[in-house]
Amino acid sequence: MNLTQHIKKPNIFLIAIICIALVLRFWQLGNIPASLNWDEVAWGYNAYSLGIDGRDEFGVFLPYKYIESFGDFKPPVYAYLAVIPVKLFGLNEFATRFPAALLGTLTVILTYFLVKEIFPKSNKKEKIALFASLFLAISPWHIMLSRAAFEANVSSFFIVLGIFAFLRAINRNMWFLLLSAFSFAISFYTFNTARVFVPMFAIFLGVMFRKELLRNQKQTICATIFGLILIAPIVPFLLSPQAKLRFEEVNIFSNPEIVRSSNQMVENDNNAFWSRIIHNRRVLYALEFTKHYFDNLSPSFLFIKGDENPKFSTQDIGEMFLWDIPFVVIGVFILFRKREGYYFVLPIWLLLGIIPAATARETPHALRIETVLPTLQIIVAIGFAFFLQRLSTRLDKKTLLRVTYSLLFLLFVNVFYFLHSYYSHYGRESAKDWNYGYKDAYAYLKDIEDNYDQINFTSDLGRPHMYYLFYHKIDPEFYRNNSSIERDVFGFVHVKRIGKYNFVDKGYVASIGKSIYVGKSDNLPRDITILKEFKLPDENPILTAYVKK
């Protein structure tokens, strides 16, 4: 018997979906986006440093609480995941982004198996699982966040794995709770949003499945203890001022404008007692939180324009496709009407996943709510599968095929438009937003640096020292012993010098011996001789190397 006869159609479709996911996440990974942003070069260089002597850029041995980056304190998992790719492929864009692309692809695969655990007895679970995986594989939202070194994308993988393992335990083998506990715990070390979402969602799972957990006390206790042991080392840090630094910087509750507005409105009402109630700052904070929460569900964000930040959206298409709209509506309706399996997991996952982002000043934010993926794609899959089923009862087979192919053609048009925009235009149009220009500038300087006593690089574009470390592959020990580092009153790090390289603030230029300068092209001094211009893909200069006359 031919081997292919043993292969079921769903397996063939799943393999095809995996191939699509791989291609869309890995093709031109080192070139699109056009450059590494600050955080990406920091992840890459810290992985490089860990791979050399087991220490991060500041010399901390095997850091597990955090990796300090520009004064921010980031969960460290991404740097460790990048160690092997950097060793294999070198310190470059592809290796730095490899973990996000790989785990993004694995999340597509996991989604297929997750759906089958959410709807274990549904006769449509196979179709829904395949559709959900396909829709995640081609999702603009997930593709873009899988093609850059975003730790949120890695965190999403561990969250999906944790939920899958938990439901697998409920459906089949309770010892899968250990894998669930491990995955949820690792997400704590991966992205800050997980530190808020995972405890809330774990409590929800514990309450909803309390009977099953109590019937299997041995596995439940073991998994709980295992998870707590994994999380325990990081708890002191989570309670420290360093951990609160980023939150205090971006959250709405530290916004003084709300307090001033509250006081002003009370004063305008002559300090009346009723005014102190309705204009209480706590009421205003609650209203602000509510507004920011629903910003992340706005149709414009989801289906029209996407995130305003060019790093998370091409700006001409939503985080999801227009094609998805009717099937989201149908999917929500069917989800609550049918109430199959553990349907309630999806809406609670979606609703809780938005809470951490709703506390931030900048909303909507595709990165901070990536936690909700793939709930939306699963809901779309439910809607699409049900729609096709209803059509099959009303149309003959030939007409049904025509309608199905027509719908898939419309989806293809949506997908093609996004992919063309992303792979043909996005790299060029968004280059400046991705700090394009550093690579070319440092390649030029590397060839001529021996001719100069001092090299002065502008800080106008931000974090130039990290690009120097990355593209010149500076030995971590040399960096630690030959640098000048300052910390401002907010705790943020400013590297002023590494060896003969000075990183100069706006309006300040050091001058010792024979010096060369690299400045922002639209902010150059007079009386200079231009040696080299470094241009964006659209041919506009961004950085300029020069010497003084």
Side-chain angles (χ1 to χ4, degrees):
M1 185 178 291
N2 194 306
L3 179 62
T4 57
Q5 293 179 315
H6 290 287
I7 302 177
K8 297 180 180 179
K9 285 186 177 180
N11 292 338
I12 296 174
F13 291 139
L14 181 59
I15 291 170
I17 291 168
I18 294 170
C19 291
I20 292 171
L22 279 168
V23 170
L24 296 182
R25 282 153 184 78
F26 278 96
W27 187 70
Q28 290 290 300
L29 182 62
N31 300 319
I32 306 173
S35 176
L36 297 176
N37 65 28
W38 302 335
D39 292 322
E40 289 185 288
V41 290
W43 285 127
Y45 186 74
N46 275 283
Y48 177 71
S49 180
L50 288 167
I52 290 176
D53 59 10
R55 300 179 184 275
D56 68 8
E57 61 177 286
F58 293 105
V60 178
F61 183 68
L62 296 180
Y64 64 91
K65 295 180 182 179
Y66 59 82
I67 283 184
E68 188 175 4
S69 180
F70 315 127
D72 195 5
F73 299 88
K74 297 180 178 180
V77 164
Y78 195 98
Y80 284 104
L81 291 176
V83 170
I84 293 178
V86 168
K87 283 286 188 183
L88 290 176
F89 307 115
L91 184 55
N92 55 44
E93 292 85 354
F94 179 84
T96 300
R97 291 169 173 167
F98 186 91
L102 176 62
L103 294 185
T105 303
L106 293 179
T107 304
V108 171
I109 301 171
L110 262 180
T111 297
Y112 170 81
F113 295 101
L114 171 66
V115 170
K116 299 178 83 169
E117 299 300 334
I118 295 176
F119 306 108
K121 297 180 181 179
S122 173
N123 58 5
K124 296 189 294 294
K125 66 180 180 181
E126 189 68 48
K127 289 182 180 178
I128 296 172
L130 287 169
F131 285 144
S133 296
L134 174 63
F135 297 155
L136 187 64
I138 61 176
S139 163
W141 193 346
H142 197 251
I143 289 171
M144 292 195 69
L145 297 189
S146 296
R147 290 182 58 88
F150 292 131
E151 62 270 37
N153 198 59
V154 174
S155 175
S156 291
F157 165 79
F158 286 112
I159 289 172
V160 173
L161 179 59
I163 297 171
F164 159 76
F166 183 91
L167 295 178
R168 183 84 169 198
I170 298 298
N171 289 329
R172 305 193 188 189
N173 186 338
M174 289 300 289
W175 285 111
F176 270 90
L177 287 177
L178 291 173
L179 175 59
S180 179
F182 172 80
S183 300
F184 284 146
I186 292 300
S187 72
F188 267 66
Y189 294 84
T190 307
F191 190 54
N192 287 321
T193 296
R195 296 170 175 177
V196 180
F197 169 76
V198 168
M200 293 190 298
F201 197 71
I203 291 171
F204 160 73
L205 291 176
V207 171
M208 296 304 297
F209 294 96
R210 59 189 179 278
K211 293 181 181 179
E212 291 86 349
L213 296 175
L214 289 174
R215 279 201 302 267
N216 298 272
Q217 292 185 12
K218 181 179 179 181
Q219 294 92 330
T220 302
I221 292 172
C222 287
T224 302
I225 293 174
F226 181 49
L228 292 175
I229 289 173
L230 292 176
I231 293 173
I234 204 176
V235 172
F237 168 71
L238 296 179
L239 302 175
S240 70
Q242 293 93 332
K244 299 175 184 176
L245 179 65
R246 180 63 173 166
F247 178 74
E248 291 175 352
E249 180 189 358
V250 302
N251 82 92
I252 59 175
F253 305 112
S254 61
N255 184 0
E257 288 300 320
I258 293 178
V259 176
R260 282 196 287 268
S261 178
S262 171
N263 292 338
Q264 184 63 55
M265 286 187 284
V266 172
E267 184 179 335
N268 292 345
D269 293 326
N270 298 316
N271 205 34
F273 81 92
W274 55 267
S275 183
R276 293 198 300 271
I277 295 174
I278 65 173
H279 297 313
N280 187 286
R281 67 179 183 275
R282 295 169 185 82
V283 174
L284 296 185
Y285 280 131
L287 292 174
E288 190 75 0
F289 174 84
T290 303
K291 174 187 177 300
H292 284 219
Y293 185 95
F294 285 102
D295 281 347
N296 291 288
L297 292 173
S298 71
S300 176
F301 167 69
L302 290 176
F303 303 110
I304 308 298
K305 294 182 178 179
D307 199 302
E308 292 182 359
N309 190 328
K311 294 186 181 72
F312 312 137
S313 167
T314 61
Q315 309 291 288
D316 58 357
I317 191 172
E319 299 300 327
M320 300 173 67
F321 295 117
L322 285 171
W323 185 91
D324 294 326
I325 295 176
F327 301 113
V328 167
V329 176
I330 296 171
V332 170
F333 176 76
I334 295 302
L335 189 69
F336 287 98
R337 183 183 175 185
K338 296 288 186 180
R339 298 182 182 181
E340 290 185 312
Y342 308 122
Y343 76 96
F344 49 82
V345 168
L346 292 173
I348 299 302
W349 182 353
L350 175 61
L351 294 174
L352 292 181
I354 298 174
I355 289 177
T359 64
R361 298 179 193 178
E362 184 184 4
T363 53
H365 202 289
L367 189 70
R368 293 187 183 128
I369 66 166
E370 194 193 353
T371 304
V372 306
L373 300 183
T375 60
L376 292 167
Q377 286 72 28
I378 295 174
I379 290 171
V380 171
I382 293 170
F384 188 58
F386 176 80
F387 184 75
L388 291 181
Q389 182 190 40
R390 289 301 296 268
L391 287 180
S392 67
T393 63
R394 302 186 177 200
L395 302 175
D396 59 82
K397 188 174 181 180
K398 189 175 182 180
T399 306
L400 176 63
L401 284 175
R402 287 177 180 174
V403 173
T404 302
Y405 289 147
S406 297
L407 288 172
L408 292 176
F409 176 75
L410 290 175
L411 174 60
F412 172 78
V413 171
N414 279 237
V415 175
F416 178 81
Y417 180 83
F418 162 68
L419 295 180
H420 174 73
S421 175
Y422 183 76
Y423 291 106
S424 298
H425 303 294
Y426 178 75
R428 177 187 178 90
E429 294 172 354
S430 67
K432 189 174 182 179
D433 298 291
W434 286 89
N435 306 111
Y436 190 91
Y438 280 118
K439 183 177 182 178
D440 292 342
Y442 279 117
Y444 172 75
L445 292 174
K446 191 169 186 178
D447 290 336
I448 64 168
E449 63 183 5
D450 292 339
N451 300 329
Y452 295 92
D453 301 309
Q454 184 170 279
I455 299 169
N456 302 287
F457 205 110
T458 181
S459 294
D460 284 358
L461 297 183
R463 318 300 185 190
H465 78 279
M466 189 55 71
Y467 289 89
Y468 167 63
L469 294 172
F470 185 95
Y471 286 116
H472 283 212
K473 300 178 176 59
I474 300 300
D475 182 84
E477 192 64 25
F478 176 85
Y479 166 51
R480 297 172 199 136
N481 295 329
N482 296 275
S483 60
S484 174
I485 300 174
E486 297 178 2
R487 296 176 186 272
D488 62 25
V489 293
F490 302 105
F492 292 103
V493 172
H494 303 277
V495 177
K496 298 296 185 180
R497 178 186 58 80
I498 304 173
K500 66 165 67 176
Y501 279 75
N502 283 346
F503 307 101
V504 297
D505 294 327
K506 199 171 188 177
Y508 168 76
V509 177
S511 181
I512 299 175
K514 187 179 181 182
S515 299
I516 185 174
Y517 307 85
V518 177
K520 194 176 178 185
S521 296
D522 61 1
N523 188 32
L524 299 175
R526 297 179 180 179
D527 300 323
I528 62 173
T529 299
I530 293 177
L531 302 178
K532 179 79 171 177
E533 281 190 328
F534 309 101
K535 299 179 179 180
L536 296 168
D538 61 7
E539 295 301 316
N540 285 316
I542 185 69
L543 291 168
T544 300
Y546 64 90
V547 294
K548 288 186 176 182
K549 289 184 179 178

